[in-house]
Amino acid sequence: MPPLFPCLPQPFLHPMLLSDFDFPFDPTLVADQPVLPRDQARLLALDRASGLHQHLRVADLPQLLRAGDLVIVNDTKVMQARVPVRVASTGKATELLFVEDLGDGVWSILIKGRLRPGAVLEFSSGVQGEILERSQDRTTLRVTGPAGVSDLMHSAGTMPLPPYIKRLPTQEDLTWYQTIFARREGAIAAPTAGLHFTDELMQRLAASGVGVMNVTLHVGPGTFRPVIVERITEHRMGAERVEVSAQTIEAIERTKACGGRVMAVGTTVVRALESAAYATGRLQPFDGPTELFISPGFPFRVVDALLTNFHLPRTTLLMLVSALVGIERLREAYREAVTQRYRFYSYGDAMLIGEGWPRAT
């Protein structure tokens, strides 16, 4: 199947190599739980034009944004998608990850082992599943029984924490690993920049005249697919479902017409918004899958600023952020973050990338 978005035109492509994204990193900085309250996470505010930076808190956002700016968040909700299961033929206990509902009781899943089509899996409560397809690209499972998959996940599933969090999920993760914007269930990972927001921070942004709108991108394996090719332009993202509404687009157009800035909360929001503009060059409502891969040289059409966490080296997430700020400037910011002992990854601290940030007081 060809990619859902074509490769970028040659003028926008830089011959960048995977090794260019070996960024400064210290494994002792990986956070395994969030700062509480969430908006007290540290914030490295970086001016992408000058390279100047400030060490702040996420709670300082109302001082950095202006009346008339627009914040876009991702309202996807993380599923309790990691579920224990037993292989009927051998009795072996394992677990799987429900990824996407394909309809009629069929789900795309992730599971380890040498299971073949026809293999039967047994869940709790009398639910069974049969492997329908097993290939390098995907595995599908038809689920039958007295309970649906949603009920099964809520009764037996746990939050799918990233593998770099070296502990088992706890009851607290049901709240910690979910944004306050979460409305539409369908993700296997949180849009982690959104985890920093609190109701109190949202009230302060509204009082400052900053607007908030939402998009949906159900985070799937595509976001985390390893880059294994040396020339990064040969990488292909897996498809993820996106919805950008007409109301959100109207708010963006009003913001830009009045000189306001559009700030994306997380790389998933960037991909959703730029996908809505990429196919035609003009921002328009979008509802469907995207495989858009953003790397240095990408022509941003929508996003002016980005709030994002600190990402793993050699990942598409890091490549997207590099595209917005420049790889060397971002490398220097990561070096500063390591020196200043910022907390990394999903439960870690954040960066704000844009232009014209005032000196916060």
Side-chain angles (χ1 to χ4, degrees), residues 17-333:
L17 303 179
L18 183 58
S19 55
D20 292 326
F21 298 91
D22 287 326
F23 268 44
F25 171 61
D26 179 345
T28 66
L29 298 178
V30 176
D32 68 356
Q33 64 183 55
V35 170
L36 298 174
R38 304 292 286 275
D39 60 5
Q40 290 304 304
R42 297 171 70 189
L43 178 68
L44 179 62
L46 176 65
D47 190 302
R48 64 176 180 170
S50 67
L52 297 175
H53 63 264
Q54 304 179 66
H55 297 293
L56 305 168
R57 300 282 174 180
V58 173
D60 295 318
L61 276 175
Q63 299 179 54
L64 299 173
L65 299 175
R66 301 187 295 251
D69 286 344
L70 182 64
V71 171
I72 311 288
V73 301
N74 187 355
D75 67 1
T76 190
K77 186 174 184 179
V78 183
M79 303 179 290
Q80 293 171 222
R82 196 173 298 281
V83 179
V85 67
R86 188 177 302 276
V87 180
S89 62
T90 64
K92 181 180 179 181
T94 184
E95 66 177 15
L96 60 75
L97 187 71
F98 284 104
V99 174
E100 183 181 4
D101 185 356
L102 303 178
D104 297 326
V106 178
W107 279 72
S108 171
I109 66 167
L110 296 177
I111 189 170
K112 295 180 179 179
R114 298 182 179 181
L115 298 173
R116 296 181 178 180
V120 174
L121 306 179
E122 297 176 337
F123 300 90
S124 60
S125 305
V127 176
Q128 288 192 332
E130 180 186 354
I131 300 288
L132 300 181
E133 177 184 3
R134 181 73 160 157
S135 68
Q136 184 175 358
D137 294 329
R138 72 172 187 173
T139 300
T140 59
L141 180 78
R142 183 183 300 280
V143 179
T144 58
V149 171
S150 180
D151 292 338
L152 181 63
M153 286 192 287
H154 283 99
S155 64
T158 58
M159 294 299 263
L161 296 181
Y164 49 74
I165 294 180
K166 305 297 184 181
R167 61 170 176 79
L168 295 175
T170 66
Q171 191 69 22
E172 287 82 3
D173 291 303
L174 294 175
T175 302
W176 289 349
Y177 202 58
Q178 205 76 267
T179 73
I180 63 171
F181 316 110
R183 297 292 184 273
R184 307 181 65 183
E185 196 169 64
I188 65 167
T192 53
L195 295 177
H196 298 293
F197 285 78
T198 63
D199 291 331
E200 192 271 339
L201 176 57
M202 297 306 297
Q203 292 167 8
R204 292 174 53 228
L205 286 171
S208 300
V210 175
V212 178
M213 295 296 290
N214 62 277
V215 298
T216 304
L217 186 148
H218 290 312
V219 187
T223 290
F224 308 103
R225 177 176 288 179
V227 182
I228 59 174
V229 292
E230 184 58 19
R231 294 176 62 91
I232 68 166
T233 54
E234 297 173 4
H235 177 73
R236 293 292 176 263
M237 302 282 291
E240 293 168 310
R241 190 80 185 184
V242 169
E243 183 174 338
V244 181
S245 69
Q247 291 83 359
T248 293
I249 289 173
E250 289 167 4
I252 291 171
E253 290 174 342
R254 287 195 304 270
T255 297
K256 289 185 174 285
C258 295
R261 298 169 294 187
V262 174
M263 187 189 89
V265 177
T267 58
T268 61
V269 173
V270 176
R271 290 186 62 232
L273 294 175
E274 297 297 335
S275 293
Y278 183 74
T280 65
R282 177 178 172 272
L283 188 60
Q284 56 188 352
F286 186 91
D287 185 358
T290 184
E291 291 184 51
L292 184 63
F293 173 34
I294 298 177
S295 62
F298 181 83
F300 289 92
R301 295 181 171 92
V302 185
V303 173
D304 302 306
L306 169 64
L307 181 76
T308 187
N309 284 26
F310 293 92
H311 302 294
L312 281 162
R314 294 190 169 215
T315 60
T316 60
L317 304 169
L318 191 61
M319 294 167 190
L320 183 153
V321 182
S322 298
L324 188 66
V325 69
I327 189 167
E328 291 307 322
R329 186 151 284 170
L330 187 64
R331 192 189 308 278
E332 182 60 33

Side-chain angles (χ1 to χ4, degrees), residues 26 28-29 42 336-344 349:
D26 179 345
T28 66
L29 298 178
R42 297 171 70 189
E336 175 73 5
V338 170
T339 300
Q340 296 297 324
R341 305 295 294 174
Y342 274 69
R343 302 164 76 248
F344 272 53
D349 297 315

